[in-house]
Amino acid sequence: MTTPAHFLTLTDLPPGKLRSLLKRAVELKTMQQQGEHYEPLKGKVMGMVFEKSSTRTRVSFETGMAQFGGHAIFLSPRDTQLGRGEPIEDSARVLSRMVDVIMIRTFEHEKIERFAACSRVPVINALTDRYHPCQLLADMQTYLEHRGDIRGRTVTWIGDGNNMCHSYIKAARLLDFKLHIACPEGYEPESAILESGTGEHVTLIRDPLEAATGSDLVVTDVWASMGQEEEQARRVKAFANYQVTEAVMAAAKPDALFMHCLPAHRGEEVAASVIDGPQSVVWDEAENRLHSQKALLELLLAN
Ligand code: CP
Ligand code: NVA
């Protein structure tokens, strides 16, 4: 049995493949909008394991599989044996003998690595505590559509050094853009991940206004991620100066875009006037989860 190609972090795709995937996502979007039927995954089945909540990820993967002529099965730990303690390795062995591809949203990143090690079919990371690579596919497609190639541009991340921030660090290296990270003390990205990008691509700049200055894209995310709900009050205090406001957007370039993976908390990490304003592309970004993941599924499965 050959090892299947997994997508656990963005760097599982070499830069050239990532760039062609983004272009393909744009093509697949046009085909869908023109009503063209394209069913490369007829008869294929995706297993979708969700140990955390989701709106966009679930709907985009299920819809993508349906549009491609395949099928998707939603699996929640509430009603599968995974939730009753069946080992992750055993679940991987069993599921991967039945379905053609598996996506997982879970907590510890190590869990998806253990799952993938025992899977006969490609495994896709649909968010772990450490990475959210599928969201980066959508974000990068959205930038490409609105502004062209992101190579050489400056992106500012404002907020928590979380799973999304980690994936932006990976993207900066792969797609060759500069990433400024503005986060409060104690909420930096994991040091090993940060160090992998510092120097040429990634710079930590504490002050959000300074970090945003001259940026082409400003990105943020919630202050407390899934699983950190009990830290909410402490985080609201720590992140008080890390809201993407109109002043932050004014420091960026006049044609800078604003992105947020959603769900968003207006009045916390982003002002309502920014997320609902003219520089925000969050709805295109959310839609592109569908198209970019179809391009990913095609790459992993259609051949
Ligand atoms: N952005 C994102 O992954 O959204 P969901 O949590 O709704 O899937
Ligand atoms: N950082 C957020 C992203 C949600 C899509 C979380 O992990 O909850």
mmCIF file of all heavy atoms in Angstrom, residues 50 53-58 105 126-127 132 135 226 261-263 289, ligand 1:
data_model
loop_
_atom_site.group_PDB
_atom_site.id
_atom_site.type_symbol
_atom_site.label_atom_id
_atom_site.label_comp_id
_atom_site.label_asym_id
_atom_site.label_seq_id
_atom_site.Cartn_x
_atom_site.Cartn_y
_atom_site.Cartn_z
ATOM 1 N N PHE A 50 -16.192 15.636 12.846
ATOM 2 C CA PHE A 50 -16.205 16.942 13.503
ATOM 3 C C PHE A 50 -16.231 16.785 15.014
ATOM 4 O O PHE A 50 -17.236 16.352 15.570
ATOM 5 C CB PHE A 50 -17.437 17.750 13.069
ATOM 6 C CG PHE A 50 -17.272 18.424 11.744
ATOM 7 C CD1 PHE A 50 -17.787 17.849 10.588
ATOM 8 C CD2 PHE A 50 -16.612 19.636 11.645
ATOM 9 C CE1 PHE A 50 -17.640 18.479 9.353
ATOM 10 C CE2 PHE A 50 -16.464 20.269 10.412
ATOM 11 C CZ PHE A 50 -16.974 19.695 9.262
ATOM 12 N N SER A 53 -17.535 22.497 16.565
ATOM 13 C CA SER A 53 -18.635 23.038 15.750
ATOM 14 C C SER A 53 -18.135 23.546 14.406
ATOM 15 O O SER A 53 -16.942 23.840 14.253
ATOM 16 C CB SER A 53 -19.285 24.228 16.461
ATOM 17 O OG SER A 53 -19.712 23.839 17.729
ATOM 18 N N SER A 54 -19.046 23.686 13.464
ATOM 19 C CA SER A 54 -18.682 24.247 12.159
ATOM 20 C C SER A 54 -19.933 24.615 11.374
ATOM 21 O O SER A 54 -20.935 23.901 11.423
ATOM 22 C CB SER A 54 -17.896 23.228 11.341
ATOM 23 O OG SER A 54 -17.787 23.676 10.003
ATOM 24 N N THR A 55 -19.856 25.699 10.659
ATOM 25 C CA THR A 55 -20.881 26.035 9.658
ATOM 26 C C THR A 55 -20.239 25.947 8.270
ATOM 27 O O THR A 55 -20.596 25.116 7.442
ATOM 28 C CB THR A 55 -21.440 27.455 9.892
ATOM 29 O OG1 THR A 55 -22.065 27.474 11.166
ATOM 30 C CG2 THR A 55 -22.459 27.835 8.821
ATOM 31 N N ARG A 56 -19.240 26.820 8.010
ATOM 32 C CA ARG A 56 -18.618 26.917 6.686
ATOM 33 C C ARG A 56 -17.935 25.629 6.237
ATOM 34 O O ARG A 56 -18.091 25.193 5.094
ATOM 35 C CB ARG A 56 -17.559 28.038 6.680
ATOM 36 C CG ARG A 56 -18.131 29.421 6.530
ATOM 37 C CD ARG A 56 -17.327 30.416 7.350
ATOM 38 N NE ARG A 56 -17.620 30.203 8.755
ATOM 39 C CZ ARG A 56 -18.576 30.857 9.416
ATOM 40 N NH1 ARG A 56 -19.246 31.806 8.819
ATOM 41 N NH2 ARG A 56 -18.850 30.586 10.695
ATOM 42 N N THR A 57 -17.173 25.030 7.141
ATOM 43 C CA THR A 57 -16.377 23.865 6.742
ATOM 44 C C THR A 57 -17.281 22.699 6.382
ATOM 45 O O THR A 57 -17.092 22.042 5.350
ATOM 46 C CB THR A 57 -15.403 23.503 7.883
ATOM 47 O OG1 THR A 57 -14.632 24.675 8.171
ATOM 48 C CG2 THR A 57 -14.492 22.361 7.491
ATOM 49 N N ARG A 58 -18.274 22.467 7.210
ATOM 50 C CA ARG A 58 -19.183 21.348 6.928
ATOM 51 C C ARG A 58 -19.931 21.573 5.620
ATOM 52 O O ARG A 58 -19.980 20.708 4.752
ATOM 53 C CB ARG A 58 -20.184 21.171 8.076
ATOM 54 C CG ARG A 58 -21.164 20.079 7.739
ATOM 55 C CD ARG A 58 -22.167 19.810 8.820
ATOM 56 N NE ARG A 58 -23.086 18.770 8.346
ATOM 57 C CZ ARG A 58 -24.074 18.294 9.050
ATOM 58 N NH1 ARG A 58 -24.303 18.741 10.267
ATOM 59 N NH2 ARG A 58 -24.873 17.366 8.546
ATOM 60 N N ARG A 105 -11.921 17.678 11.895
ATOM 61 C CA ARG A 105 -11.764 18.886 12.710
ATOM 62 C C ARG A 105 -11.655 18.419 14.153
ATOM 63 O O ARG A 105 -12.572 17.802 14.681
ATOM 64 C CB ARG A 105 -12.962 19.820 12.518
ATOM 65 C CG ARG A 105 -13.005 20.937 13.537
ATOM 66 C CD ARG A 105 -14.000 22.008 13.197
ATOM 67 N NE ARG A 105 -13.505 22.845 12.120
ATOM 68 C CZ ARG A 105 -13.990 24.050 11.824
ATOM 69 N NH1 ARG A 105 -14.993 24.547 12.511
ATOM 70 N NH2 ARG A 105 -13.483 24.735 10.821
ATOM 71 N N ALA A 126 -9.319 19.840 8.709
ATOM 72 C CA ALA A 126 -10.410 20.827 8.646
ATOM 73 C C ALA A 126 -10.391 21.723 9.873
ATOM 74 O O ALA A 126 -11.403 22.315 10.210
ATOM 75 C CB ALA A 126 -11.748 20.104 8.530
ATOM 76 N N LEU A 127 -9.256 21.864 10.497
ATOM 77 C CA LEU A 127 -8.924 22.714 11.657
ATOM 78 C C LEU A 127 -8.490 21.846 12.838
ATOM 79 O O LEU A 127 -9.183 20.903 13.230
ATOM 80 C CB LEU A 127 -10.109 23.604 12.106
ATOM 81 C CG LEU A 127 -9.871 24.594 13.270
ATOM 82 C CD1 LEU A 127 -10.697 25.870 13.098
ATOM 83 C CD2 LEU A 127 -10.180 23.954 14.619
ATOM 84 N N HIS A 132 -5.131 25.691 10.393
ATOM 85 C CA HIS A 132 -6.403 25.688 9.647
ATOM 86 C C HIS A 132 -6.068 25.893 8.162
ATOM 87 O O HIS A 132 -6.394 26.920 7.567
ATOM 88 C CB HIS A 132 -7.304 26.802 10.178
ATOM 89 C CG HIS A 132 -8.737 26.693 9.745
ATOM 90 N ND1 HIS A 132 -9.235 25.611 9.039
ATOM 91 C CD2 HIS A 132 -9.795 27.537 9.937
ATOM 92 C CE1 HIS A 132 -10.525 25.804 8.811
ATOM 93 N NE2 HIS A 132 -10.887 26.960 9.334
ATOM 94 N N GLN A 135 -8.670 27.025 5.355
ATOM 95 C CA GLN A 135 -9.062 28.439 5.346
ATOM 96 C C GLN A 135 -8.057 29.269 4.556
ATOM 97 O O GLN A 135 -8.418 30.223 3.864
ATOM 98 C CB GLN A 135 -9.164 28.954 6.784
ATOM 99 C CG GLN A 135 -9.639 30.387 6.873
ATOM 100 C CD GLN A 135 -11.081 30.561 6.426
ATOM 101 O OE1 GLN A 135 -11.951 29.841 6.872
ATOM 102 N NE2 GLN A 135 -11.340 31.511 5.542
ATOM 103 N N MET A 226 -12.166 28.038 19.602
ATOM 104 C CA MET A 226 -12.943 26.917 20.129
ATOM 105 C C MET A 226 -12.073 26.112 21.087
ATOM 106 O O MET A 226 -10.928 25.790 20.764
ATOM 107 C CB MET A 226 -13.435 26.035 18.985
ATOM 108 C CG MET A 226 -14.519 26.703 18.157
ATOM 109 S SD MET A 226 -15.126 25.653 16.834
ATOM 110 C CE MET A 226 -13.921 25.981 15.548
ATOM 111 N N CYS A 261 -11.706 34.782 8.976
ATOM 112 C CA CYS A 261 -12.198 33.444 8.604
ATOM 113 C C CYS A 261 -13.654 33.217 9.002
ATOM 114 O O CYS A 261 -14.305 32.342 8.434
ATOM 115 C CB CYS A 261 -11.299 32.366 9.199
ATOM 116 S SG CYS A 261 -11.266 32.367 11.010
ATOM 117 N N LEU A 262 -14.150 33.998 9.975
ATOM 118 C CA LEU A 262 -15.511 33.877 10.504
ATOM 119 C C LEU A 262 -15.666 32.565 11.287
ATOM 120 O O LEU A 262 -14.985 31.610 10.933
ATOM 121 C CB LEU A 262 -16.570 33.961 9.395
ATOM 122 C CG LEU A 262 -16.501 35.195 8.474
ATOM 123 C CD1 LEU A 262 -17.571 35.062 7.381
ATOM 124 C CD2 LEU A 262 -16.700 36.485 9.256
ATOM 125 N N PRO A 263 -16.511 32.497 12.296
ATOM 126 C CA PRO A 263 -17.428 33.537 12.743
ATOM 127 C C PRO A 263 -16.699 34.704 13.423
ATOM 128 O O PRO A 263 -15.668 34.494 14.054
ATOM 129 C CB PRO A 263 -18.332 32.802 13.747
ATOM 130 C CG PRO A 263 -17.510 31.676 14.256
ATOM 131 C CD PRO A 263 -16.625 31.267 13.116
ATOM 132 N N ARG A 289 -14.269 28.971 0.370
ATOM 133 C CA ARG A 289 -14.012 27.680 1.029
ATOM 134 C C ARG A 289 -14.494 26.560 0.107
ATOM 135 O O ARG A 289 -13.848 25.531 -0.041
ATOM 136 C CB ARG A 289 -14.754 27.604 2.378
ATOM 137 C CG ARG A 289 -14.248 28.558 3.450
ATOM 138 C CD ARG A 289 -12.835 28.237 3.874
ATOM 139 N NE ARG A 289 -12.700 26.879 4.360
ATOM 140 C CZ ARG A 289 -13.008 26.455 5.593
ATOM 141 N NH1 ARG A 289 -13.428 27.330 6.496
ATOM 142 N NH2 ARG A 289 -12.864 25.191 5.935
HETATM 143 N N1 CP B 1 -13.987 29.556 9.073
HETATM 144 C C1 CP B 1 -14.445 28.364 9.462
HETATM 145 O O1 CP B 1 -13.723 27.351 9.491
HETATM 146 O O2 CP B 1 -15.775 28.361 9.785
HETATM 147 P P1 CP B 1 -16.588 27.200 10.484
HETATM 148 O O3 CP B 1 -16.079 27.068 11.900
HETATM 149 O O4 CP B 1 -18.011 27.647 10.429
HETATM 150 O O5 CP B 1 -16.382 25.914 9.737
#
